[in-house]
Amino acid sequence: MAIECLVLGAGQEVGKSCVVVTINGKRIMFDCGMHMRYTDLRQYPDFSLISDSGDFTSSLSCVIITHFHLDHIGALPYFTQVLGYDGPIYMTYPTKALAPLALEDYRKQTERRGEKEQFTAEHIADCMKKVTAVDLKQTIHVDKDLQIQAYYAGHVLGAAMFYAKVGDAALVYTGDYNMVPDRLLGAAQIDRLQLDLVISESTYATTYRDSKYVQEREFLKAVHKCVASGGKVLIPTNALGRAQELCMLLDDYWERTNLKVPIYFSSGSTIQANLYHRILINWTSQKVKDTHARHNAFDFKNVKSFDRSLINAPGPCVLFASPGMLGGGFSLEVLKQWAPYEENLVMLPGSCSTGTVGSKLMSAKIPTQIKLDENVKIDVRCQIYKLAFSAHTDAKGIMDLVKFLSPKHVLLVHGEKPKMAALKEKIQSELGIECCYPANNETVTIPSTHHIEAGVSDAFLQSCLAPNFKFWKTNVGSDERTPPLLQVYDDRVSQGILTLQNPRVISQNELRDVLGLENHLVKFDHCCSAAYDSEISNAASDWLPSTSQRNSLLQLLFGIVSRDFPDCIMHDCQKGIQVGSFVASMCSREECPSGNADALHFRCTWSATDEELAWKVISLVKNVKLSSASLDSFRVLMDF
Amino acid sequence: MSALISQTCLSEVLITSPNGMLGLPFLTRKKGFTAKVYATKAASRIGQLMMEDLVYMHKEFRQFYGPESDEPIWMKWDRLEMLPLELKKTVFGADGTDFGCWMPLYSAADVKACMLKVKSLNYAEEICYNGIVIAKPLPSGLEIGSCNWRINGPRGNIAYISNFSSLNALEQVGNDEDRSGLANYLSNSSSADVNSETRSALLSTDEYLEEIDKLDFICSCSMDSIKAGGSILIPTGRLGIILQLLERFELHLTSENMKVPIFVISSVAEELMTFTSIIPEWLGQQCQDRLYSEKPSLFTHTEMLKDGRLYLFPAIHSVELLKIWQEPCIVFCPHWSLRLGPVTHLLRRWRGDQNSLLVIEEGVDANLVLLPFKPIAMKVLQCSFLSGMQLKKSLLLMKILQPKHVLFPEIFRRCVDTLKVSLSSSFYQENETLHIPHTEDSSRLHIDMDLARQIKYTKFEEQNVDISRLKGKLTVEHGRYKAVR
């Protein structure tokens, strides 16, 4: 049995995230994303690899979406409405609320560009109706065997990592995540789980980033400087996520510094998204949550809605306009008007896909001219600021998460090939965990955990769970003044008997009953002659020690043995001494099993478990040198 | 309660609803209380607010009537002990549990300390006690945050069912998955053979429609009173009812084109309403659909607050309240006992007005609660709201779950007996411990494949048994015994 991972997207690249995992006969699709670089069918994962017949509903157990970014959900309406997948789809509540906005925003952009649309507004609405919303940590039984669970990922509002388990085989698909909290969102959070596989994003596979607070401060400083000198700030962003995060920063800063410069949102969907954020405030960072009762952080106090006539109104302002990469639409329209003035400022998002105006600006030296098409050129004299914010974890975060989860395997997606190779090396060498980063449309097979099940007796459990402490004293260093270090070991080794028929594990003691056998005890028997000096042996070959002599002999033996074995006990009526199961008594000639004719023998018996101990004691017994003097002195003492 | 702590080692407390935790500080403030308390996030938040409100009202009461010393004299144990036998019987009750165990109310600090001990969960979030017992709250559909508990152990599984409502506008309801969740674990028999009739009967909407009818009846009575110039007073602490009534009132007022202010007066009104506007995860389908709509808002009250149809005030003497106060109006306020909170003042004001209407819940002795306000000219409407599961429904549920054993409350004994239900059942009552036998014969052990591969069997011909020595490490993890190498 194994876990099979078919990487349909985001293999050695960023875009159209989609991994299909087969685990103990269940097939799960994680994310169903779209590649933003293409406009034809290449923008979608190659779904035909899942099923030749095109019957996706029966070949997949469920689809899981981690967050609302288009490279994770963009292909979903196409997959469900055009290709006809009709099975269960899971995402968190915020993702279900915000995804339609993101999808609709994208659809409108393609419509504006005059490209052929792959899905309609109706498709989006119908697709979202099929979605089951889930809460964090809620255990969801997709069917009898498959269980999934969402964990907080901190990448955008509602982003989640997903845990999936079938039988004993389990994996985590991280989606995009962030390991440090920021102003808007908390850090990713997950339980310590028993995992065969972790599928992790690796956007920043080799980068180590500074704290976000520094970047936030620089951003605010740049905006403040611009508006203070009367300039206009254009912030091209998509409607969701980034807009709310930056606006929260600005609104808070405006409050603190008592700025009165207006902040505008151009798009209706941004304002709509704000409403969602307000209701979904429980999914933000702890600080935002804690203060919401007093003031909901998404009730922006300084934000006003924008009107086209305000583009050329005098005076400073801050404007959020979509789309984020200036690929057309309102943000480009405003750029045309504002770019020629050097007091103005344009905030570019962290990354822009090649070919967009955004990417041209990114690499341009100011002042410059940018060609929009054959006839239109913009003079750019304004300032350009590149936002360095990122809601992805850096290399340290990835390593931390992998180390924390300690899976048997790691699979990297959503990154650049050379960097992924470096991270793979690091994971294998530093953490000793197998790692791979397959390309798109490749399948990787990973062994998974299995078990056999058996009944278990209470006696066995009791014997295993009862602590078995052992104490050792070890001397630290040679200095005798430092007290020895006491070490405690809980040395529990579970040992029992497994029966094949009607599999059941029992403790050793119960076996006899199960087999219906009598108890047989293996006992060792050894006659050990006590060394005595010639005086006694000369006395008589048939010398027989009197009872009192026997007693004193045993007494003597006890004295010697108990010096080394403190748990040695003297038996009642002085028949012998005992350490564990080891018993030593005087051997009587008549009963001696070894037929010893000599006078003084100790008869030693012990059971198999105390073998080692027994021979240690015997070596002591052998060293006992009995002299008549010692015997006499004892006798005297005893008689007295 | 003290017996509970001293005699048995209490290790976990599971809460099913906000109302179900109002007594919690009494327990948690006891010395030696070490148990973990689990409640759903919504229940613990609402429960906390209700407790704070209670403490606030109590404080207000003491401001009026003067503070009692630490404990009222009649609560002093030594004095009680000195009473003559007959009197003592009256005070303590026949079984010694009546007035004898009355305690002074908890303080704000007690509530705070209590809440620190409550661990709150999402629906269907699992908790694991000692590695081996797993408990999980599933929505029960009665109130926001209310739940049934499923408890899985190695020697049997338990479902604690406080309610099972399958259709409710407001609250997240127990759905089919939850039911099968309960069923799978409660019994080993398959529930597939239960006919669909039973299922649909359980899912029937009658109960819900009945409830809506009741609410509408309250609304239309209110409309009549308002038209006659009277005001409406609804003393209740049940958040679910307040929210549902607000929705219905909004509909009725709009359809009648009436403008009447609605006041919610409670020290925690603001917190409660803010809280309810950010919890889509805890609400029913109808409310959730509003989240996904063009104008996302979970309840109508958000709108009503904005355009001045609804007002929230912490106390009746708020300056703002006096400024905008106008009659007729509709007022929601605590406390249902009519002894505490804003209701006492408003009742005194309106009791003589035959056009005004008082809505109280069934289950309280109307004569007794209204006694201090008599003579009363005000109309009184006593109304029973859904507050649990009916026996008929619980029997249907049992048919689906097919448990090996059921515990019913003592009051059901006669009904269950007469219905001749073929169920192994027993009946519980207060201060009585029941012993239920194990349902599973033995625990199960998972043997890891790595370890299993080493197994070499020896055959005992005579007994026809193959056995092998098994040596490894036993771990207890998430409800499972596992043997690993």
Side-chain angles (χ1 to χ4, degrees), chain A residues 337-351:
Chain A
Q337 305 282 333
W338 290 4
Y341 306 99
E342 22 190 79
E343 71 269 21
N344 293 344
L345 173 68
V346 177
M347 289 275 168
L348 287 177
S351 64

Side-chain angles (χ1 to χ4, degrees), chain A residues 516-560:
Chain A
L517 293 176
E518 273 176 57
N519 202 13
H520 295 279
L521 202 66
V522 181
K523 246 184 158 178
F524 291 83
D525 208 323
H526 177 77
C527 265
C528 168
S529 65
Y532 44 86
D533 61 17
S534 49
E535 215 177 307
I536 299 177
S537 63
N538 286 345
S541 59
D542 57 347
W543 175 78
L544 270 173
S546 66
T547 314
S548 59
Q549 273 175 326
R550 282 163 173 267
N551 286 347
S552 52
L553 259 176
L554 277 171
Q555 198 64 254
L556 182 66
L557 186 67
F558 176 69
I560 292 164

Side-chain angles (χ1 to χ4, degrees), chain A residues 17 19 65 89 108 117 133 177 238-239 270 299 311 344 374 394 445 511 518 541 552 569 574 635:
Chain A
S17 285
V19 180
I65 305 289
I89 304 164
K108 277 190 190 141
E117 60 181 23
Y177 61 101
N238 291 332
T270 316
D299 273 330
I311 297 183
N344 293 344
E374 290 307 311
D394 65 358
T445 307
L511 183 64
E518 273 176 57
S541 59
S552 52
I569 48 164
Q574 297 171 334
R635 190 177 52 207

Side-chain angles (χ1 to χ4, degrees), chain A residues 463-592:
Chain A
S463 73
C464 297
L465 293 173
N468 178 23
F469 291 122
K470 292 213 166 124
F471 302 90
W472 269 282
K473 276 186 184 167
T474 42
N475 286 313
V476 220
S478 52
D479 192 353
E480 280 187 8
R481 272 168 303 175
T482 55
L485 205 66
L486 184 68
Q487 284 178 300
V488 186
Y489 297 87
D490 185 5
D491 194 19
R492 278 180 241 192
V493 177
S494 315
Q495 213 181 110
I497 306 289
L498 173 69
T499 60
L500 180 65
Q501 286 77 12
N502 177 24
R504 191 171 154 80
V505 181
I506 52 176
S507 78
Q508 204 154 332
N509 301 336
E510 293 170 295
L511 183 64
R512 207 153 43 91
D513 294 337
V514 170
L515 295 178
L517 293 176
E518 273 176 57
N519 202 13
H520 295 279
L521 202 66
V522 181
K523 246 184 158 178
F524 291 83
D525 208 323
H526 177 77
C527 265
C528 168
S529 65
Y532 44 86
D533 61 17
S534 49
E535 215 177 307
I536 299 177
S537 63
N538 286 345
S541 59
D542 57 347
W543 175 78
L544 270 173
S546 66
T547 314
S548 59
Q549 273 175 326
R550 282 163 173 267
N551 286 347
S552 52
L553 259 176
L554 277 171
Q555 198 64 254
L556 182 66
L557 186 67
F558 176 69
I560 292 164
V561 176
S562 62
R563 222 178 295 146
D564 286 32
F565 296 91
D567 47 350
C568 174
I569 48 164
M570 183 73 149
H571 263 254
D572 302 336
C573 52
Q574 297 171 334
K575 276 191 180 140
I577 62 160
Q578 183 167 14
V579 188
S581 68
F582 176 92
V583 177
S585 55
M586 295 299 295
C587 188
S588 66
R589 207 172 287 180
E590 304 82 56
E591 288 168 21
C592 183

